[in-house]
Every structure is written in structure tokens, then in C-alpha cells.
């Protein structure tokens, strides 16, 4: 599903009307029908529709008419100067007046009706909001949040900025949001992610070509995408044809991280998975994971120690390599990463302490010979870029794209809305849950992505599909364990996520 910013959607709407000759009133009517279908599924009777003076309010007026002629008990509220209602919104407003509908305007009346309604429809502000919500509008939003049993927002929750997802002072907390044409960026990131509830997207009869002409570069998971990218495995495969991958990681104090990555790679379908680990921890790992193979290396002061010959053999032996999980911080590891970037021609994933060691040599990314996937959380990305964590979180898409473009890598920026980008294309992932905020979850993700690359997926597709499957597996685990889930629980559901 493609994702638009506010100006993108205005362009698409204009193109639909001017080039494809779809009248705006038809688009508004289709939006109202999309909303009506969502309400009809709930088998409710009493609905309060709260409208503003823009096209979002026009959708609310049109919906109110459809509800009334289909036997619903509907109360319509307008907040704002009715003289500012223009165009298609004005037509739908006047239709209600011609039907003899009393359009109410008193906040205290709204509060009383919200208490006894089944559904409140938020049609106050749309994607054009660019100012702080204050005064009566803030009071209306607070009343909707406090008193409603169930809230459906039209296009975007009122008070959420359509481009940044940030709350503009106050914003509706919707149970669901019905949006039109495309997903809106503000629904997927920052405050918008939590305020939007379940998102439903309706094309309201806008032709696919009309959207395609906008050249949108951001996509998100919706319906069967990106699960549809999964390849069917033929009967005549063998372990050698299902990918040979290696994880370089682990140290005396953090053997669990590499164990999780190795097991995740196996559960994602790799044919052969090897742990490149030091002798002092191999027995620990192998006792938990007999299905993997192990390449035992020397160590110094509890950390891995390599010769260039050993690194050359690793690069030649595997389809893809991940480095960094549980590896610890040492100057030697910095040298290892530098050497891999200089010599390797096969895909390389750098995660965890590998990213921390990369900070001082990140310029090497510009001269690498292989495709590189970086998987930082905001703290690691802050160390890589020098940007403040708060700034990163508020500008996730832009900072990720800029870094990936400058350094020629694939960047997966972890978070509630994980961003995957190659500097041009962008994928925003919305699977996953708060229970996944647990140690080792990122190590599992590294194993999933590594496995997919080894199986022949492009590093970009592997990163976005890996983020999606990791989140889906976490969602299955969350249903059983809630906030008590641990990283190994995610692994147990990877197979189910892939079905």
C-alpha cells in the first residue's frame, strides 16, 4: 500500500477530478459510503457525527445522510463558522438542511449525546491541519476522547499532523480510522500510530493509475503485502539450495544474542546456519542449538580474535554474513568490520555492537564492495549520526533516507514504526507490539533478515519482509504472553507468521 503526504493526496484528488473527470462530489459520496460500511458492520443504532467546516466535515455530512436514510438514530454537530463551508462540503451540508436535519452546535449537548451513543464519528479536521488545536476545538476533541464508547476517525484523527504524525496540541484517540485513496504518513508514525487505531483504506474509486502518477516512494504493509513476497519452495530443494549463512558474534558475557540470531535464521528457513564464535562459549550455544554448525575462533580478553585468512574463508563460504550481535566492543572488532567492508562481495548485515564499532569508520561504507544492511535502534543510530534521539524519532523517515542515500546502504531503523530504506524507496512497518521491547528481540530480527538474504531475496526485500515477519511473529507471541514475552517466544512463531 502506497503512503502519501498531505500535498501528495491533494495532487491525487486534483488529478482524479481534472484528468479522470471524477467529480469531487462523487469522491465525497464514496468516502461516505466507505464510512457507512464500517458502521453497518457493527450493528449499532445511535451515532454522533462531529463535523468541521472543511472537506472532512463534508464527508461527515454525507455520511450522516446515508445513516439517516438507512434508519440510524443520528445526531450531527458542526463546530466552526458555517459560512466557511464551501464546495462539495457545502452541498452535503445544505442537503441535510433541506432534509430538515437539526445541525447542533453546543458543546454541552454533544457531551450528553456522546455518553449514550454507540459510535462517535470524528470528521472535525482532515489532512490539511497545520496549526495547534485550541479553544472550542480542543474541548470538542477532549469530550470525544473522554465520553465516546467507540470512535471512528475520517481520513485521519483530528489533531494529528498528516505529514509528521505529531499531535497538534490535542488529538482524537480513534478506535479505527477510515482513510481514502492511500495510507497517510501521519497515520503510521509518531503520535499518529497510536491515535489511529485500526486503519482501513478505501480507494473511493480513484483509479490506480491516478495514484501511480504521483510517484510515491513510501509504502507500508497492508492486506497481503509484503507477505506476498514470500517465495514458494519447490519439492526438489536441499539444504545447500536454501541458503548458507553465518553469524559472527557472541562474547563471554553475551552468548545469548548469537544463539537467538542463529535459531531465528533456522526458523526462517535457512538450509545451513553457522555460528562463528569463540571456543569458550561454543558449548553453551551448541547445547541450546544442535541444528546449527560452528566455526570456532580464537579469543583475547573475552572477545573474538580473527586472522585475515579466517575472515577470507568466512566470506567465501557463505551466501550472507551478519556481524555484531553480542560481539562486545573492542578495537579488533572495528578492524574486522573494516576488513569485511573492504573485501567482501556478498551481502553483510551489521547490528548491535557491530554498529557501535562502525561509528569511527562509517566512511568505509562509501567504498564497500558489497550490499550492506544496517539495523540500528534510535540509540545506535544517534551514535552513528550524532543526531539526538528525540530528533531521530520525530523525523524517522527523513533521517533514515538521508543516511542510506549518503552511505549507499540499506537502513532499517527500528522502532514502533520501523523504517526500511535504500535511500530512494521507503517501507514503514506497522506489525509488532510493546511486548517486543525486550532484550534479544533485535538479535532475532537480524537472524530473520540474514536467512532471507541467504535464500535469495534482495537485501532490501529481505529487510522489509524481515521487519514484517518479525512483527507478525511478535504479535502471535503477544496474544499468549502479553508484555511478558521474551525474544525466544518470537522465534517460536516465525513459522506461523510465514504461513
Amino acid at each position: 500500500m502506497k503512503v502519501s503526504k498531505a500535498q501528495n493526496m491533494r495532487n491525487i484528488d486534483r488529478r482524479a477530478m481534472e484528468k479522470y473527470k471524477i467529480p469531487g462530489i462523487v469522491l465525497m459520496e464514496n468516502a461516505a459510503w466507505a464510512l457507512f460500511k464500517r458502521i453497518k458492520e457493527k450493528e449499532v443504532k445511535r451515532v454522533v457525527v462531529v463535523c468541521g467546516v472543511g472537506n472532512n466535515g463534508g464527508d461527515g455530512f454525507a455520511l450522516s445522510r446515508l445513516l439517516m436514510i438507512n434508519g440510524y438514530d443520528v445526531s450531527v454537530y458542526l463546530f466552526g463558522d458555517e459560512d466557511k463551508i464551501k464546495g462539495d462540503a457545502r452541498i452535503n451540508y445544505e442537503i441535510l438542511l433541506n432534509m430538515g436535519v437539526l445541525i447542533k452546535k453546543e458543546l454541552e449537548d454533544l457531551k450528553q449525546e456522546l455518553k449514550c451513543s454507540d459510535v462517535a464519528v470524528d470528521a472535525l479536521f482532515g489532512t490539511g491541519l497545520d496549526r495547534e488545536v485550541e479553544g472550542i476545538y480542543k474541548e470538542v476533541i477532549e469530550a470525544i476522547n473522554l465520553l465516546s464508547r467507540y470512535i471512528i476517525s475520517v481520513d485521519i484523527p483530528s489533531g494529528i499532523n498528516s505529514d509528521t504524525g505529531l499531535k497538534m496540541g490535542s488529538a482524537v484517540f480513534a478506535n479505527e480510522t477510515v482513510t481514502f485513496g492511500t495510507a497517510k504518513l501521519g497515520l503510521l508514525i509518531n503520535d499518529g500510530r497510536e491515535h489511529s487505531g485500526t486503519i482501513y483504506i478505501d480507494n473511493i474509486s480513484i483509479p490506480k493509475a491516478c495514484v501511480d502518477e504521483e510517484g510515491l516512494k513510501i509504502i507500508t504493509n497492508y492486506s497481503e503485502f509484503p507477505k506476498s513476497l514470500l517465495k514458494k519452495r519447490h519439492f526438489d530443494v536441499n539444504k545447500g539450495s536454501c541458503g548458507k549463512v553465518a553469524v559472527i558474534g557472541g562474547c563471554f558475557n553475551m552468548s545469548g544474542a548469537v544463539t537467538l540470531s542463529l535459531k531465528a535464521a533456522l526458523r526462517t528457513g535457512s538450509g545451513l546456519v553457522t555460528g562463528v564464535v569463540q571456543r569458550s562459549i561454543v558449548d553453551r550455544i551448541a547445547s541450546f542449538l544442535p541444528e546449527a554448525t560452528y566455526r570456532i575462533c580464537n579469543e583475547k580478553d573475552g572477545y573474538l580474535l580473527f586472522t585475515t585468512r579466517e575472515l577470507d574463508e568466512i566470506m567465501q563460504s557463505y551466501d550472507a554474513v551478519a556481524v555484531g550481535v553480542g560481539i562486545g566492543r573492542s578495537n579488533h572488532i572495528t578492524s574486522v568490520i573494516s576488513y569485511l567492508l573492504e573485501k567482501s562481495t556478498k551481502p553483510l548485515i551489521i547490528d548491535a555492537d557491530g554498529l557501535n564499532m562502525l561509528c569511527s569508520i562509517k566512511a568505509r561504507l562509501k567504498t564497500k564492495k558489497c550490499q550492506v544492511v544496517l539495523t540500528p535502534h534510535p540509540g545506535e543510530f544517534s551514535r552513528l549520526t550524532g543526531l539526538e534521539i528525540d530528533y531521530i524519532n520525530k523525523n524517522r523517515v527523513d533521517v533514515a533516507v538521508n543516511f542510506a542515500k549518503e552511505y549507499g546502504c540499506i537502513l532499517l531503523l527500528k522502532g514502533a514504526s520501523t523504517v526500511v530504506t535504500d535511500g530512494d524507496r521507503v517501507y514503514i512497518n506497522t506489525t509488532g507490539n510493546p511486548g517486543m521491547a525486550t532484550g534479544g528481540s533485535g538479535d532475532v530480527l537480524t537472524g530473520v533478515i540474514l536467512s532471507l538474504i541467504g535464500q535469495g531475496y534482495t537485501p532490501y526485500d529481505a529487510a522489509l519482509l524481515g521487519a514484517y515477519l518479525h512483527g507478525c511473529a511478535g504479535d502471535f507471541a503477544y496474544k499468549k504472553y502479553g508484555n511478558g514475552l521474551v525474544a525466544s517466544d518470537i522465534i517460536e512463531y516465525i513459522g506461523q507468521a510465514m504461513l
Side-chain angles (χ1 to χ4, degrees):
M1 174 55 66
K2 295 186 177 180
V3 179
S4 65
K5 293 185 177 182
Q7 186 58 53
N8 295 133
M9 200 61 228
R10 284 192 285 269
N11 294 343
I12 292 168
D13 284 340
R14 187 181 306 111
R15 187 178 301 116
M17 291 183 282
E18 295 178 359
K19 180 176 179 178
Y20 292 89
K21 306 303 180 183
I22 304 173
I25 196 71
V26 171
L27 297 176
M28 188 169 285
E29 188 74 2
N30 289 339
W33 275 110
L35 291 159
F36 176 79
K37 286 185 290 186
R38 290 300 311 151
I39 293 173
K40 186 178 180 180
E41 289 181 7
K42 302 187 184 313
E43 298 182 353
V44 297
K45 280 297 179 184
R46 303 193 67 176
V47 182
V48 173
V49 184
V50 183
C51 302
V53 298
N55 281 340
N56 202 251
D59 296 337
F61 297 139
L63 169 65
S64 299
R65 168 173 44 83
L66 295 178
L67 290 169
M68 289 174 184
I69 64 178
N70 281 278
Y72 288 82
D73 182 355
V74 184
S75 293
V76 187
Y77 282 81
L78 169 65
F79 292 93
D81 184 355
E82 64 184 277
D83 291 335
K84 292 183 179 179
I85 305 173
K86 306 293 183 185
D88 299 326
R90 187 80 196 184
I91 291 172
N92 278 296
Y93 174 70
E94 292 182 350
I95 289 173
L96 289 182
L97 295 180
N98 293 336
M99 290 171 61
V101 175
L102 174 63
I103 298 178
K104 306 172 185 179
K105 301 180 180 180
E106 295 299 322
L107 177 60
E108 291 306 313
D109 292 340
L110 172 65
K111 290 179 179 179
Q112 294 304 313
E113 293 210 58
L114 286 172
K115 293 176 184 178
C116 54
S117 66
D118 300 310
V119 174
V121 176
D122 156 38
L124 193 60
F125 296 123
T127 59
L129 182 68
D130 58 1
R131 64 187 185 280
E132 289 288 299
V133 175
E134 54 190 19
I136 184 64
Y137 302 110
K138 183 176 182 179
E139 294 182 62
V140 169
I141 288 173
E142 289 173 349
I144 292 172
N145 287 339
L146 180 64
L147 302 173
S148 303
R149 296 178 185 174
Y150 194 90
I151 303 170
I152 299 176
S153 282
V154 178
D155 214 16
I156 193 165
S158 292
I160 293 295
N161 184 289
S162 182
D163 289 351
T164 68
L166 294 174
K167 181 170 60 175
M168 307 295 283
S170 184
V172 169
F173 261 105
N175 296 96
E176 65 182 72
T177 298
V178 182
T179 195
F180 313 120
T182 71
K184 309 304 185 295
L185 181 57
L187 297 174
L188 309 177
I189 58 176
N190 295 320
D191 300 315
R193 174 76 190 278
E194 190 166 7
H195 280 255
S196 300
T198 304
I199 299 170
Y200 297 92
I201 305 169
D202 195 289
N203 69 14
I204 61 172
S205 80
I206 296 176
K208 180 178 180 297
C210 183
V211 176
D212 290 343
E213 288 173 48
E214 189 62 17
L216 300 173
K217 295 296 183 73
I218 305 175
I219 58 174
T220 190
N221 52 288
Y222 192 73
S223 186
E224 291 301 307
F225 182 82
K227 192 174 181 180
S228 57
L229 296 176
L230 285 171
K231 301 173 183 177
K232 183 179 179 180
R233 184 172 286 188
H234 299 292
F235 282 104
D236 60 347
V237 297
N238 58 68
K239 62 185 178 183
S241 62
C242 292
K244 296 172 64 178
V245 298
V247 179
I248 303 173
C251 64
F252 190 81
N253 293 324
M254 291 185 287
S255 60
V258 70
T259 307
L260 291 167
S261 287
L262 292 169
K263 189 169 184 178
L266 286 163
R267 286 294 189 194
T268 308
S270 289
L272 291 165
V273 178
T274 298
V276 182
V277 299
Q278 57 205 52
R279 187 176 302 277
S280 62
I281 66 172
V282 68
D283 288 344
R284 286 189 232 164
I285 299 171
S287 65
F288 282 105
L289 201 56
E291 300 90 346
T293 61
Y294 299 91
R295 183 182 288 260
I296 300 172
C297 297
N298 291 323
E299 59 187 283
K300 182 179 180 181
D301 300 327
Y303 300 106
L304 278 165
L305 187 65
F306 293 95
T307 64
T308 56
R309 181 179 177 180
E310 287 173 321
L311 292 174
D312 289 339
E313 289 176 354
I314 291 168
M315 288 185 284
Q316 292 166 9
S317 300
Y318 301 98
D319 299 313
V321 173
V323 60
V325 293
I327 206 166
R329 303 187 189 189
S330 73
N331 291 333
H332 178 65
I333 299 304
T334 302
S335 299
V336 167
I337 293 171
S338 179
Y339 189 80
L340 292 172
L341 289 172
E342 179 185 355
K343 299 295 185 179
S344 181
T345 58
K346 296 178 181 178
L348 178 67
I349 301 174
I350 305 176
D351 185 30
D353 275 331
L355 293 167
N356 293 322
M357 297 297 96
L358 178 66
C359 292
S360 62
I361 57 166
K362 64 182 179 183
R364 294 291 177 90
L365 290 169
K366 296 182 179 182
T367 58
K368 66 190 180 307
K369 297 178 181 178
C370 61
Q371 291 181 291
V372 173
V373 179
L374 307 181
T375 58
H377 56 59
E380 291 162 342
F381 194 59
S382 176
R383 288 188 283 276
L384 269 174
T385 61
L387 299 172
E388 295 292 330
I389 292 176
D390 185 60
Y391 180 84
I392 290 169
N393 285 330
K394 288 181 178 178
N395 300 275
R396 297 178 61 78
V397 174
D398 289 342
V399 296
V401 168
N402 291 341
F403 187 93
K405 187 179 295 184
E406 180 178 357
Y407 290 97
C409 64
I410 294 157
L411 186 80
L412 184 151
L413 180 57
K414 297 170 184 171
S417 297
T418 291
V419 175
V420 179
T421 180
D422 61 1
D424 179 35
R425 299 169 292 176
V426 179
Y427 168 75
I428 300 175
N429 186 67
T430 62
T431 60
N433 57 79
M436 296 173 70
T438 184
S441 179
D443 304 317
V444 173
L445 175 60
T446 294
V448 173
I449 297 171
L450 176 66
S451 175
L452 292 169
I453 295 175
Q455 292 176 59
Y457 294 85
T458 68
Y460 179 75
D461 283 351
L464 73 85
L465 185 55
Y468 171 80
L469 294 173
H470 180 254
C472 284
D475 288 339
F476 284 125
Y478 192 70
K479 290 177 182 178
K480 183 174 182 180
Y481 298 107
N483 289 331
L485 74 83
V486 295
S488 56
D489 298 325
I490 300 171
I491 296 174
E492 294 309 310
Y493 287 96
I494 291 173
Q496 187 171 340
M498 298 177 75
L499 292 176

